[in-house]
Amino acid sequence: MSALPVDCSRYREPAVYSKNDGRLMNKPADAPREHAVEIRFGQVGLVQLRLHTTDPGSILDELTGRTATAPHFFERTAACLDLSLLAKPPSVEEIRAVVEIVRRAGMLSVGLAQGGASDALAQELEMPVFSHIRAPNKPVPVVQAPPAVQAAPAPEPALPALMQHQPVRSGQRVYARNRDLIVIATVAAGAEVMADGCVHIYGPLRGRVMAGVHGDTEARVFCQAFNAELVSISGVFRVFETIPADLAGVPVQAWLAGDDLRFSKIGE
Amino acid sequence: MTEIIVVTSGKGGVGKTTTSASLACGLARRGKKVAVIDFDIGLRNLDLIMGCERRVVYDFVNVIQAECTLRQALIKDKRLDTLYVLAASQTRDKEALSSEGVRRVFDELTADGFDFIICDSPAGIEKGAHLAMYFADRAVVVVNPEVSSVRDSDRILGLLSSKTLRAEQGNGQVKEHLLLTRYSPKRVATGEMMSVGDVKEILGLDVVGVVPESVDVLAASNAGIPVILNENSDVSRAYEDAVARLLGETVPLRFVDEPKKGLFARMFGG
């Protein structure tokens, strides 16, 4: 878990400054140590706990459920608390309670992830702040959809939507120029459906979907069973290596809010 | 009326040639006049599976390039009177095929009163595969219950709906059938293999046959006897069912559930 990504067989003593003359020199491995402490940098694996709540009971339930599948894997593992998803900034007491709960679940909280009120909290708790932790899978924020923007009062006579009745198979592309696209069949993995306007898919969506391909930022994607590989609106895209559990297979819409692609379940 | 059926899959090694040979035999055994053509130019195999490899004098490419007549190149099967094999060339490459040449062969077979022309497609989506499907009325898409085969079959289904004569002329769709091969109900039950239902759902097609995984297939290939002619094999029964369904009969699916072990089999680990 906390193994350093260092190839020990080829490890060489790093260059150090000699205390006496300040010159950079290589120091043989068997030379007597002159320092009380050495500072080294390395990368360690760290469990990240993204808190959706600070309620100790639900956190403990969730953690013990997860760690039960691999108890030794999580035993005394260093954990970093990510508070960025909490609805409101937590208090110091709340975080102390979380630290205690995490310890009871077998892991050790060693710091806070940067963001939100972490800096102030970390000072109080005497914990380090970890900056820029790379999250391999950015969580998809599932939020309430704002109402679609009102249409312009005198719209140009629009083309009727392009209707696709046949399944869009792997390797096929369907493009609706200057209009919406409606697919009444499956969009298979490896297929691409695109429109200058919105894209509506009434079969399972397993391929790629692009709306507003010529820059219409108001275009949206609507689908009946979301399992997309990629969703793009006006060039802003997201790849789905894994489908977020709360979106998989359910009706979903996607839209653009500024530079951010948003997703929500339809019918909630 | 001659019907052209392409047996295709995209992926290699899923059982296209085995299926072509068995469907052709099955149809011929029901009295249909059948020609089965190997489109895999340069890698010919159908003649081996049909057990006529030593009787190939002229091949498909010879006919297309007018180096012999069709009648000279058609090899009459020794077991079934109404079955003929047109072998691929082993020495040429796929560029030797031409669209006009293939059409001429099909026209001639139609004029000769053939009921079915079975086209054994090569793997891939290049010229050989394209020409094998181009004139087809129906397609049997052979798929193994695993993700890469299903993905490739989906690609082929896309080509069938766009890159065929019927699609180009707007002359109705090529009728598509799904045939699962190497199906192992036991492995489906343990979750190692996709089920018939999974494959059907992803590809959105009805199943014309489910052929169980069996050692009989390899034995039949080695012997040069299409596996459908091995009356003791489940594979033969499965192909026979597929032939019946191709001819419009309604036959319940077999070999999709794990056989229940009897008391004795359970006691003695049979």
Side-chain angles (χ1 to χ4, degrees):
Chain A
M1 192 56 216
S2 56
L4 292 167
V6 169
D7 183 357
C8 296
S9 62
R10 296 173 60 197
Y11 181 73
R12 287 172 56 202
E13 197 71 9
V16 294
Y17 277 99
S18 157
K19 203 164 46 173
N20 301 328
D21 55 14
R23 274 189 306 115
L24 185 67
M25 55 181 275
N26 281 324
K27 208 172 138 73
D30 55 357
R33 303 217 173 271
E34 297 167 10
H35 304 287
V37 62
E38 284 179 66
I39 296 182
R40 301 270 183 89
F41 288 94
Q43 293 181 326
V44 292
L46 200 56
V47 168
Q48 262 198 86
L49 298 177
R50 267 190 209 124
L51 301 182
H52 293 263
T53 170
T54 54
D55 173 43
S58 40
I59 294 177
L60 186 62
D61 285 350
E62 180 90 29
L63 284 181
T64 46
R66 295 288 181 89
T67 54
T69 55
H72 294 295
F73 185 77
F74 288 105
E75 205 172 66
R76 296 185 61 78
T77 292
C80 163
L81 306 180
D82 183 345
L83 313 178
S84 60
L85 292 183
L86 290 174
K88 62 180 180 56
S91 67
V92 177
E93 282 66 40
E94 280 178 298
I95 296 305
R96 275 196 221 282
V98 171
V99 169
E100 174 58 21
I101 284 299
V102 169
R103 192 190 60 76
R104 276 172 58 189
M107 287 184 263
L108 297 170
S109 306
V110 296
L112 303 180
Q114 195 178 45
S118 291
D119 286 351
L121 283 168
Q123 289 250 321
E124 291 265 354
L125 293 157
E126 293 190 333
M127 273 182 154
V129 173
F130 294 102
S131 59
H132 293 295
I133 288 192
R134 271 181 300 140
N137 286 313
K138 206 176 157 194
V140 179
V142 177
V143 294
Q144 211 60 46
V149 171
Q150 291 290 313
E156 287 179 32
L159 285 167
L162 178 68
M163 294 282 212
Q164 169 76 23
H165 296 270
Q166 295 298 323
V168 187
R169 301 286 186 183
S170 184
Q172 288 186 315
R173 306 173 95 175
V174 176
Y175 172 42
R177 188 184 299 278
N178 293 329
R179 50 181 163 166
D180 287 1
L181 172 63
I182 299 179
V183 184
I184 308 150
T186 309
V187 176
E192 270 181 24
V193 289
M194 300 174 279
D196 287 339
C198 299
V199 181
H200 312 252
I201 300 159
Y202 293 98
L205 166 61
R206 304 191 183 102
R208 299 162 165 242
V209 55
M210 292 156 216
V213 293
H214 274 103
D216 180 3
T217 53
E218 297 300 328
R220 292 185 178 213
V221 170
F222 305 86
C223 70
Q224 196 65 29
F226 184 87
N227 271 302
E229 290 172 341
L230 177 147
V231 174
S232 161
I233 294 175
S234 185
V236 181
F237 70 91
R238 176 160 288 159
V239 186
F240 290 90
E241 206 171 342
T242 48
I243 307 286
D246 44 356
L247 299 182
V250 300
V252 164
Q253 69 164 319
W255 71 99
L256 203 55
D259 278 343
D260 209 13
L261 206 51
R262 302 279 175 85
F263 295 83
S264 81
K265 288 193 251 184
I266 301 174
E268 285 209 331
Chain B
M1 182 56 201
T2 308
E3 261 199 299
I4 303 171
I5 302 179
V6 59
V7 178
T8 184
S9 71
K11 194 173 184 300
V14 296
K16 286 182 294 296
T17 303
T18 300
T19 299
S20 299
S22 284
L23 294 183
C25 284
L27 289 165
R29 207 153 53 166
R30 286 164 175 254
K32 307 289 182 191
K33 193 172 177 188
V34 182
V36 55
I37 306 179
D38 191 350
F39 272 77
D40 204 349
I41 310 300
L43 288 170
R44 79 174 198 219
N45 284 151
L46 181 67
D47 51 327
L48 288 171
I49 307 295
M50 295 294 296
C52 64
E53 72 275 12
R54 296 185 171 277
R55 296 198 287 139
V56 179
V57 180
Y58 294 109
D59 59 48
F60 192 24
V61 170
N62 293 136
V63 183
I64 282 180
Q65 303 196 335
E67 294 160 359
C68 70
T69 64
L70 178 59
R71 204 172 289 270
Q72 285 175 305
L74 280 177
I75 304 164
K76 191 168 182 303
D77 189 80
K78 284 189 166 166
R79 297 157 292 225
L80 295 158
D81 282 344
T82 55
L83 178 58
Y84 295 83
V85 180
L86 188 49
S89 168
Q90 184 72 341
T91 51
R92 315 289 184 91
D93 68 31
K94 56 185 182 292
E95 297 310 314
L97 288 180
S98 70
S99 177
E100 307 79 65
V102 173
R103 182 198 291 266
R104 210 183 61 236
V105 171
F106 286 175
D107 286 347
E108 221 171 307
L109 290 169
T110 306
D112 246 358
F114 276 87
D115 297 304
F116 289 97
I117 302 172
I118 310 284
C119 305
D120 179 22
S121 171
I125 51 176
E126 285 171 68
K127 192 168 185 185
H130 172 68
L131 281 174
M133 71 167 68
Y134 186 73
F135 297 101
D137 301 305
R138 299 163 85 173
V140 173
V141 178
V142 181
V143 54
N144 287 170
E146 49 97 11
V147 283
S148 60
S149 175
V150 171
R151 163 76 60 99
D152 290 359
S153 298
D154 193 56
R155 179 91 171 91
I156 285 291
L157 286 164
L159 296 177
L160 282 166
S161 63
S162 58
K163 297 274 194 292
T164 53
L165 185 64
R166 275 174 174 270
E168 285 175 12
Q169 291 183 339
N171 190 14
Q173 282 280 310
V174 175
K175 181 136 180 46
E176 297 153 345
H177 307 277
L178 207 58
L179 189 122
L180 270 83
T181 54
R182 313 196 68 165
Y183 195 78
S184 165
K186 195 172 159 196
R187 295 181 63 194
V188 171
T190 59
E192 289 171 61
M193 193 178 259
M194 296 168 86
S195 72
V196 184
D198 293 339
V199 179
K200 259 169 82 171
E201 204 240 306
I202 291 176
L203 295 178
L205 278 187
D206 267 338
V207 173
V208 78
V210 177
V211 177
E213 169 91 330
S214 165
V215 291
D216 300 337
V217 175
L218 186 60
S221 300
N222 289 338
I225 302 164
V227 67
I228 196 172
L229 301 178
N230 176 357
E231 302 294 348
N232 300 320
S233 172
D234 281 351
V235 176
S236 164
R237 293 177 203 113
Y239 274 122
E240 197 58 54
D241 287 357
V243 169
R245 290 187 200 104
L246 279 177
L247 291 171
E249 296 169 29
T250 309
V251 184
L253 268 187
R254 294 195 272 179
F255 315 116
V256 290
D257 297 314
E258 197 176 354
K260 298 264 185 301
K261 276 193 175 178
L263 179 64
F264 283 98
R266 266 183 284 162
M267 282 172 70
F268 300 112

